[in-house]
Amino acid sequence: MTQQGPGPVPGDHTFRHSFPASHHGEYKVPGGKLVVVDLDVVEGALANVSLSGDFFLEPDEALLDINGALTGLPETTTAAELSAAVTASLPPGSVLFGFSADAVAITVRRALAKATSWADHHWNIIAPTVLPTSVNVALDEVLTEEVGAGRRNPTLRFWDWEEPSVVIGSFQSVRNEIDPDGVARHGISVVRRISGGGAMFMEAGNCITYSLYLPQTLVDGISFADSYAFLDAWVMAALEKLGITAFYVPLNDIATEQGKIGGAAQKRLANGGMLHHVTMSYDIDADKMVEVLRIGKEKLSDKGTRSAKKRVDPLRRQTGLARTEIISAMMEVFTERYAATPSELTEGELAAARERVAAKFGTEAWLNRVP
């Protein structure tokens, strides 16, 4: 008499294998459901794949189809390839509600330790420190490199500065974005950053700016567009706590029903580090902003407004709170969500940033690399 091994018997609709899997991954879809994958790796290939979660899927049999499509794939399969395999396996008319093929791919990559979650990292948080704007920009490059190299924990850093500034995107034209008369009249310093996106008009106390330095494994399998909202979910929670319902306007604007309150930008480095930073308007001088920046009709064409002044609705007006109170609330939410611990900039990091200012960020060559 032979003894039946582990696993479902014919006609059994238990989808998970009955022995512990060697790899386990979880992914909570932003605004959606929890996706869980248990699997083994046998001779470099996925085996005994078992997908589960609190999502909705029709028809029932599609779950077995997904498990079957993933089983046998090399453990080196990319997130895009995993997603494609899941999509190809689905019967016509299948409905995935609360999750997606991409979510399954992310979960598998997490199970294989190719992708990471927030909880996989020890997060640090650096409180606002007054520094020249050029040093703040240089620190973004230095700290992203440090996190990518594993010399610093993933870190959230809040900026502070004193001089009125404009920080332009990596690919913006100086002459097309900056009004030289306005810059001279108001004593504005102009600096170019390493990330793309648009120009930021920043006077002391009128903005809230933060930078997130993280390993790219945290966004493995997440599309470039979706990574913005994913990395700022904690910000939305903090604003909600302050009575503000905010949302993302693709690609990188943060807005409320009253108007835009901020914008995000990103840069991914070859060593695996990633920069995600955001500037939010607290009490912006809109009249001065339009004297310093050239904001043309084409840029406003898809914003539903003819005036740049009307595009931005500062947080001070929406909350009635001091800027420091808003920053404190943001730091509190980030700390609670991700068990972040306080950190400070090291002397070595500051020295490296000042060297970058002298060699790069403070030079005319870098500023005018796109004239």
Side-chain angles (χ1 to χ4, degrees), residues 103-124:
V104 175
I106 293 167
T107 313
V108 171
R109 296 278 292 181
R110 285 189 174 181
L112 296 169
K114 310 290 186 183
T116 55
S117 70
W118 293 91
D120 292 326
H121 304 284
H122 178 183
W123 291 88
N124 287 151

Side-chain angles (χ1 to χ4, degrees), residues 114-258:
K114 310 290 186 183
T116 55
S117 70
W118 293 91
D120 292 326
H121 304 284
H122 178 183
W123 291 88
N124 287 151
I125 185 166
I126 299 175
T129 304
V130 176
L131 294 165
T133 304
S134 58
V135 174
N136 276 309
V137 170
L139 276 168
D140 275 356
E141 184 173 73
V142 170
L143 296 182
T144 305
E145 289 176 359
E146 291 296 289
V147 170
R151 293 187 292 265
R152 167 177 271 281
N153 290 330
T155 299
L156 169 67
R157 179 179 73 92
F158 284 87
W159 292 30
D160 221 337
W161 62 98
E162 291 181 341
E163 77 277 25
S165 307
V166 168
V167 179
I168 63 173
S170 180
F171 309 106
Q172 289 189 296
S173 160
V174 175
R175 63 171 169 249
N176 289 338
E177 299 297 327
I178 304 299
D179 185 315
D181 293 335
V183 165
R185 183 164 60 255
H186 296 294
I188 308 293
S189 66
V190 182
V191 183
R192 185 185 295 275
R193 62 181 186 268
I194 62 171
S195 63
M200 307 184 303
F201 172 62
M202 302 164 53
E203 290 186 291
N206 80 350
C207 297
I208 295 172
T209 298
Y210 64 83
S211 296
L212 196 60
Y213 314 105
L214 60 137
Q216 292 173 37
T217 54
L218 186 64
V219 295
D220 182 275
I222 301 175
S223 72
F224 188 87
D226 289 345
S227 68
Y228 280 85
F230 172 75
L231 292 174
D232 282 332
W234 64 274
V235 181
M236 303 305 175
L239 292 173
E240 187 73 33
K241 188 175 180 180
L242 297 172
I244 298 176
T245 300
F247 49 88
Y248 252 90
V249 178
L251 171 66
N252 62 333
D253 283 352
I254 300 173
T256 69
E257 292 297 336
Q258 286 70 47

Side-chain angles (χ1 to χ4, degrees), residues 13-15 34 38 40 56 64 94 101 119 135-136 160 163 166 193 221 232 243 262 292 300 317 334-335 353 371:
H13 292 286
T14 301
F15 295 114
L34 179 69
D38 294 283
D40 298 310
F56 299 91
L64 294 176
S94 294
V135 174
N136 276 309
D160 221 337
E163 77 277 25
V166 168
R193 62 181 186 268
D232 282 332
V292 171
L300 299 173
R317 181 160 59 251
F334 189 87
T335 298

Side-chain angles (χ1 to χ4, degrees), residues 333-349:
V333 168
F334 189 87
T335 298
E336 290 174 351
R337 279 199 166 203
Y338 308 128
T341 56
S343 178
E344 295 182 353
L345 295 166
T346 68
E347 287 301 321
E349 290 165 346

